[in-house]
Amino acid sequence: MHQCLERSGTDRPSERRWSFARAARGLAAAGLVVAGALAVPPAALAAATKGPDTVADTAALVMDAVVNISTSQTVAPSRSVPTPELPPGSPFEEFFEEFFKRRQQQGEDNSPRRVSSLGSGFVIDASGFIVTNNHVIADADEIFANFADGSKLKAEVVGRDTKIDLALLKVTPDPDKPLKAVKFGNSDILRVGDWVMAIGNPFGLGGTLTVGVISARNRDINSGPYDNFLQTDAAINRGNSGGPLFNMDGDVIGINTAIISPSGGSIGIGFAVPSNTATPIIAQLKEFGEARRGWIGVRIQQVTPEIAESLSLGRPRGALVGSVTDDGPAAKGGLKAGDVVVSFDGKEVKDMRSLPIIVADTPVDKKVDVVIVRKGQEQHLKLTVGRLNETETTDKAAETPEQKPDAPPPVTTTKLLGVEVAELTPELRTRFKIKDELKGVVVMTVEPGSVAAERGIAPGNLIVEVNQEATGTPKQVEDRIAALKKEGRRSALLMVSDPEGQVRFTALPIE
């Protein structure tokens, strides 16, 4: 995606290729396509495309719960720019000397300065708990909630979650009277075309309401590992980040978070965190001050059509387990590399992206049923979900090791599937810096432009398995590929390891 995501929760001057706006834009009616053989009465068609006559009654019930979030912070002074060194006699020498001399005479402002930003939020509890986006209040020294009646209350951060960009605030001291609050609805029952209202308080002028429809579900905008956004064309303006997205019953079904903005302005495509994604996190922030997500300890990859064919899955589905963390919940439950997870805790795993979201939403310490496909057969496993360490860093991609400059001794190689492979010897293990415990057939060279090269196989990699059968010699690889060809298979599924032991699966065409 080459569009920009515009951050709407701040008025600080900043430029970002991906900035997080956090809101939505545009008013559009749901289109209706009628097949030629399907007769639809004109009155029914008009009613379907017209939308709600008014949302005034619903808006009146919820408007006072939407607040403006204003923050301020102290930033360090900008560093002085050193005078450039220019060769004597340069035509710019006199100009720059005069320019910097004038700056010194005027005196540079090196004192810290205060900056402010604005966003939106909404009250979820009459005692003063407020939900907003984390980016709205990030790095703030002071936070205030400005209400529609003109009142202004200081707020403190109860907890925040950077992975889905949520923050829970609490006004302090406790309010003199109960605040107007709204409740969450069920975002899972939303359909594309359902009408929604976006309400924000972007500039402290009072609530702003726009109406539109849900235009898509389960959007991945590459903002984090748990992207599962609702897409809407309800107009979300700058400063609406953290504001609620309501259904027509006045329930919050999303938190407005981002807009696509190629030029800095809204083009009518906005995104909201679904309420069913947000509510368990908000409950955890309220109870623990932090998010506590489920974790099972696997590295996964996408099931491509080639991999699906190699594993006899019929169609691409599920999440392919690339490796399993030692002593993690998955390992203790019997999951192995090469398994395809198709169901977790009763929920279908449609693709690789689904599994982390489902696992993260599963309560810690819950015992769940996992359905896998192993060597073409479905199996049921039981495992107990662990807790994700939120400070864990993403595994780095391994670099291709350099060969020693000394001339290596002759090695007998076999060419197949666009690569040359050899039996792993102590000399090759040393040359490619392959860990002692790793086994397999070592890749010596990769044919430029081959499918193997396109799929990232590199010298020093190990072919550990072919179609889930372990391989220790080039002859075993040849025999396994020949058997697959005899079975009529179009591709071979390889388990490939880098020298550090990080494994992945890739399918290469046999012909």
Side-chain angles (χ1 to χ4, degrees):
M1 181 185 291
H2 298 291
Q3 300 99 324
C4 292
L5 292 178
E6 175 67 21
R7 185 183 290 275
S8 67
T10 177
D11 60 2
R12 292 177 233 165
S14 60
E15 295 181 1
R16 300 177 178 85
R17 178 177 176 83
W18 293 88
S19 45
F20 285 80
R22 325 299 187 168
R25 131 123 208 142
L27 179 73
L32 185 64
V33 179
V34 182
L38 179 63
V40 179
L45 181 61
T49 58
K50 180 181 178 182
D53 290 331
T54 180
V55 295
D57 293 337
T58 304
L61 294 175
V62 300
M63 187 75 80
D64 288 344
V66 182
V67 300
N68 166 257
I69 303 294
S70 62
T71 68
S72 62
Q73 70 180 104
T74 302
V75 298
S78 57
R79 293 182 296 176
S80 299
V81 180
T83 305
E85 295 183 5
L86 299 170
S90 167
F92 295 103
E93 182 180 20
E94 183 178 344
F95 168 77
F96 279 109
E97 283 183 354
E98 181 63 27
F99 173 76
F100 282 96
K101 185 185 297 183
R102 189 163 56 247
R103 284 176 61 94
Q104 292 172 358
Q105 291 173 349
Q106 294 173 349
E108 296 180 353
D109 182 12
N110 290 322
S111 59
R113 51 196 183 86
R114 302 284 290 175
V115 296
S116 301
S117 64
L118 297 173
S120 298
F122 56 98
V123 180
I124 60 167
D125 187 288
S127 64
F129 284 97
I130 296 173
V131 172
T132 186
N133 285 141
N134 176 63
H135 78 262
V136 171
I137 51 90
D139 303 320
D141 298 328
E142 288 186 314
I143 305 171
F144 289 94
N146 303 290
F147 292 80
D149 62 3
S151 60
K152 181 176 182 178
L153 298 177
K154 189 173 182 179
E156 294 181 350
V157 178
V158 175
R160 64 179 79 206
D161 178 38
T162 58
K163 287 185 170 61
I164 58 173
D165 196 14
L166 289 179
L168 180 65
L169 311 179
K170 175 68 169 67
V171 298
T172 179
D174 291 340
D176 296 332
K177 59 181 180 179
L179 301 178
K180 174 66 178 180
V182 290
K183 62 184 179 69
F184 284 103
N186 183 3
S187 59
D188 286 348
I189 64 174
L190 284 175
R191 300 173 300 166
V192 173
D194 281 346
W195 287 90
V196 289
M197 297 185 300
I199 300 181
N201 196 330
F203 304 111
L205 302 176
T208 300
L209 180 148
T210 52
V211 179
V213 298
I214 295 295
S215 47
R217 294 175 50 90
N218 308 117
R219 287 298 200 209
D220 180 2
I221 61 176
N222 297 316
S223 69
Y226 307 115
D227 280 11
N228 187 32
F229 288 96
L230 299 172
Q231 180 179 315
T232 178
D233 66 353
I236 301 173
N237 306 296
R238 289 183 61 86
N240 276 37
S241 287
L245 188 69
F246 291 102
N247 61 19
M248 292 296 101
D249 295 325
D251 297 329
V252 178
I253 47 82
I255 296 99
N256 301 320
T257 298
I259 58 174
I260 289 183
S261 180
S263 60
S266 177
I267 60 170
I269 301 176
F271 303 98
V273 177
S275 58
N276 286 18
T277 299
T279 47
I281 297 299
I282 292 169
Q284 292 168 12
L285 296 180
K286 188 174 182 179
E287 183 176 359
F288 307 113
E290 62 181 358
R292 297 189 175 184
R293 290 186 171 86
W295 170 78
I296 59 172
V298 293
R299 294 185 67 187
I300 57 174
Q301 63 184 84
Q302 187 72 20
V303 178
T304 64
E306 295 83 5
I307 290 176
E309 189 268 338
S310 300
L311 294 175
S312 302
L313 285 175
R315 58 181 174 83
R317 60 192 176 107
L320 176 61
V321 177
S323 62
V324 181
T325 302
D326 292 339
D327 296 324
K332 293 177 180 178
L335 243 65
K336 298 179 180 179
D339 291 343
V340 178
V341 181
V342 295
S343 175
F344 189 92
D345 195 22
K347 301 178 181 67
E348 180 187 4
V349 179
K350 296 180 180 179
D351 52 27
M352 178 189 71
R353 193 169 65 89
S354 303
L355 184 60
I357 295 173
I358 295 171
V359 173
D361 289 342
T362 305
V364 176
D365 295 330
K366 182 179 181 181
K367 193 168 185 177
V368 300
D369 182 63
V370 182
V371 182
I372 63 168
V373 176
R374 179 180 293 171
K375 295 185 177 181
Q377 301 295 319
E378 277 199 0
Q379 298 184 24
H380 288 255
L381 303 176
K382 290 280 188 181
L383 61 83
T384 302
V385 176
R387 180 185 170 189
L388 175 67
N389 180 2
E390 295 287 342
T391 61
E392 276 188 313
T393 57
T394 304
D395 292 330
K396 295 181 179 178
E399 297 179 356
T400 302
E402 296 181 359
Q403 296 187 15
K404 293 184 176 181
D406 298 334
V411 177
T412 301
T413 63
T414 301
K415 189 170 183 180
L416 43 83
L417 304 181
V419 300
E420 276 190 305
V421 297
E423 188 168 349
L424 182 58
T425 64
E427 188 280 327
L428 291 178
R429 190 181 295 277
T430 302
R431 183 196 305 184
F432 290 111
K433 301 178 182 177
I434 298 171
K435 284 188 172 181
D436 292 340
E437 64 270 21
L438 300 181
K439 297 178 182 180
V441 177
V442 65
V443 175
M444 300 297 296
T445 63
V446 181
E447 181 181 336
S450 65
V451 176
E454 292 174 358
R455 294 184 180 169
I457 297 178
N461 286 171
L462 294 174
I463 297 177
V464 181
E465 293 181 357
V466 177
N467 270 61
Q468 300 183 301
E469 296 290 339
T471 56
T473 66
K475 180 69 165 56
Q476 290 176 338
V477 177
E478 280 188 303
D479 290 346
R480 187 61 186 142
I481 291 173
L484 292 172
K485 186 182 294 187
K486 190 174 181 179
E487 294 171 8
R489 300 291 185 90
R490 295 191 297 271
S491 59
L493 180 68
L494 307 183
M495 177 194 279
V496 180
S497 170
D498 67 14
E500 293 295 318
Q502 297 293 346
V503 299
R504 61 188 176 89
F505 289 88
T506 187
L508 298 182
I510 293 175
E511 296 297 337

